[in-house]
Amino acid sequence: MRHLLTLFDLTPQELRQILATAQTLKSKLKQGERPAILERYTLALLFEKPSLRTRVSFETGMNHLGGSSLFLGDDVGWGKRESPSDFTRVLGQFVDAVACRAKSHERVEQLAEYNAVPIINSLTDLCHPCQAIADVLTLLENFGEVKDRHMVFVGDGNNVSRSLALACAMLDIQFTLARPDGYELDQPWLDRIGEKYPNAKMNQTADPIAAVETADAIYTDVWTSMGQEAESIARRAAFKNFQVNEQLLEAAPKTARVLHCLPAVRGEEITDAVMDGPQSDVIEQAGNRMHAQKALMIQLLRPEWIAENISV
Ligand code: CP
Ligand code: NVA
């Protein structure tokens, strides 16, 4: 059974097929077409953390494809009312896939362990693969081809930057993380990327101004992620020179695009002027979550549709 726990679960070719499918579905939607590729399929959403983009994009995306979704709240008692094995295997009797947002990555791995139904990681402390697919889709739309482009992430070595670094490695995009000391991408994750993609161009620096000089895209995320609230004062101090603001943008090529996974803390990691400025793609990027996840769900549930209809 296919799961999407991290982007290591996809090959670069599959990622390219998902991106091409997303572009096709997006242009069809603009023409008013909503092909019912997942007619009568059901997606369950099991979320332990808040969400706007991920929840709504999965629910509307599934609806466009002719399927339905149901959001499972606290009352289903995941991890509380019955064993994880019973919970997951029973869920597998009813639904075709589960999109899961969990406090720890192990919780999502545990759901996948019983192979009852495909599990889609919709954000954990480790990574956010669905976000990264939409991010590289946004880059692809801007540049036509993404190979050898330079993605500069200014911020934390967190769940979002881990997945983005891996997506970049898969598509031959150079990736730089500009971060303060102590907030690097962790070595086990970098080692996994290096083992699978030995030619990946991954850099880390404490100098954001130098990093963005050759940037095609400048990406940022909150300094304090969900669950890290107790560290927010220390993080605000550590990241104060890592704000994506007009001064930083001055150091980058005028063609550089600005990305943010959202939600943003305006005035912390990004200023209003940059977020709402002409180089910003953040709203389109959020919209791309839906197109990317529609394609991902087809890849997991009806890969033959992609094989028959999409050429990369
Ligand atoms: N970017 C993202 O995952 O947003 P939500 O937390 O609103 O789903
Ligand atoms: N790094 C952020 C991303 C939110 C979409 C968090 O985990 O809170």
Side-chain angles (χ1 to χ4, degrees), residues 43-205:
L43 174 76
L45 292 109
L46 188 59
F47 279 35
E48 286 190 315
K49 289 181 175 182
S51 171
L52 170 67
R53 280 143 288 269
T54 310
R55 174 182 177 175
V56 178
S57 56
F58 267 120
E59 295 212 24
T60 51
M62 198 48 164
N63 189 274
H64 289 173
L65 292 168
S68 62
S69 60
L70 61 157
F71 189 81
L72 304 179
D74 245 8
D75 52 324
V76 295
W78 180 32
K80 294 180 191 134
R81 290 183 70 224
E82 54 198 310
S83 75
S85 138
D86 291 347
F87 182 91
T88 313
R89 289 180 303 148
V90 169
L91 206 47
Q93 297 291 307
F94 306 127
V95 303
D96 298 291
V98 177
C100 177
R101 172 168 286 198
K103 287 183 182 158
S104 77
H105 191 71
E106 291 70 29
R107 299 261 287 155
V108 176
E109 285 180 330
Q110 196 179 50
L111 282 181
E113 201 177 302
Y114 304 103
N115 267 335
V117 64
I119 304 299
I120 303 172
N121 176 353
S122 303
L123 181 144
T124 64
D125 53 342
L126 182 73
C127 59
H128 197 0
C130 296
Q131 179 68 53
I133 300 173
D135 300 338
V136 289
L137 175 62
T138 311
L139 203 65
L140 197 61
E141 287 177 335
N142 269 297
F143 294 105
E145 170 53 53
V146 292
K147 188 175 181 316
D148 296 327
R149 293 289 173 181
H150 186 196
M151 172 77 74
V152 179
F153 190 105
V154 181
D156 193 12
N158 65 9
N159 46 6
V160 170
S161 55
R162 274 193 206 96
S163 286
L164 189 65
L166 175 51
C168 287
M170 294 170 78
L171 298 174
D172 301 310
I173 301 166
Q174 184 187 346
F175 180 85
T176 300
L177 176 66
R179 84 293 175 256
D181 291 340
Y183 294 92
E184 296 81 6
L185 280 173
D186 58 287
Q187 203 52 47
W189 187 261
L190 289 174
D191 289 346
R192 276 181 83 183
I193 294 179
E195 275 162 32
K196 192 125 190 205
Y197 302 105
N199 297 326
K201 294 190 184 122
M202 301 273 122
N203 301 296
Q204 301 201 63
T205 172

Side-chain angles (χ1 to χ4, degrees), residues 128-304:
H128 197 0
C130 296
Q131 179 68 53
I133 300 173
D135 300 338
V136 289
L137 175 62
T138 311
L139 203 65
L140 197 61
E141 287 177 335
N142 269 297
F143 294 105
E145 170 53 53
V146 292
K147 188 175 181 316
D148 296 327
R149 293 289 173 181
H150 186 196
M151 172 77 74
V152 179
F153 190 105
V154 181
D156 193 12
N158 65 9
N159 46 6
V160 170
S161 55
R162 274 193 206 96
S163 286
L164 189 65
L166 175 51
C168 287
M170 294 170 78
L171 298 174
D172 301 310
I173 301 166
Q174 184 187 346
F175 180 85
T176 300
L177 176 66
R179 84 293 175 256
D181 291 340
Y183 294 92
E184 296 81 6
L185 280 173
D186 58 287
Q187 203 52 47
W189 187 261
L190 289 174
D191 289 346
R192 276 181 83 183
I193 294 179
E195 275 162 32
K196 192 125 190 205
Y197 302 105
N199 297 326
K201 294 190 184 122
M202 301 273 122
N203 301 296
Q204 301 201 63
T205 172
D207 184 347
I209 297 272
V212 300
E213 272 170 18
T214 57
D216 292 301
I218 301 169
Y219 197 123
T220 191
D221 180 17
V222 290
W223 294 340
T224 301
S225 286
M226 291 182 274
Q228 298 174 332
E229 290 76 9
E231 300 170 24
S232 64
I233 293 171
R235 285 176 166 272
R236 217 170 282 137
F239 283 100
K240 70 179 187 322
N241 296 326
F242 291 80
Q243 185 186 60
V244 176
N245 53 30
E246 285 168 295
Q247 192 193 344
L248 187 73
L249 231 53
E250 280 292 309
K254 292 283 163 279
T255 48
R257 309 305 303 170
V258 173
L259 302 173
H260 191 310
C261 57
L262 304 181
V265 182
R266 287 171 176 255
E268 280 202 6
E269 76 275 2
I270 192 164
T271 58
D272 286 333
V274 173
M275 183 104 164
D276 301 326
Q279 286 169 260
S280 171
D281 288 324
V282 300
I283 303 300
E284 187 85 11
Q285 178 190 4
N288 279 341
R289 295 293 305 279
M290 182 179 73
H291 309 295
Q293 286 154 207
K294 283 166 75 173
L296 172 66
M297 289 190 286
I298 298 168
Q299 171 72 32
L300 292 176
L301 296 170
R302 287 203 55 210
E304 76 284 0

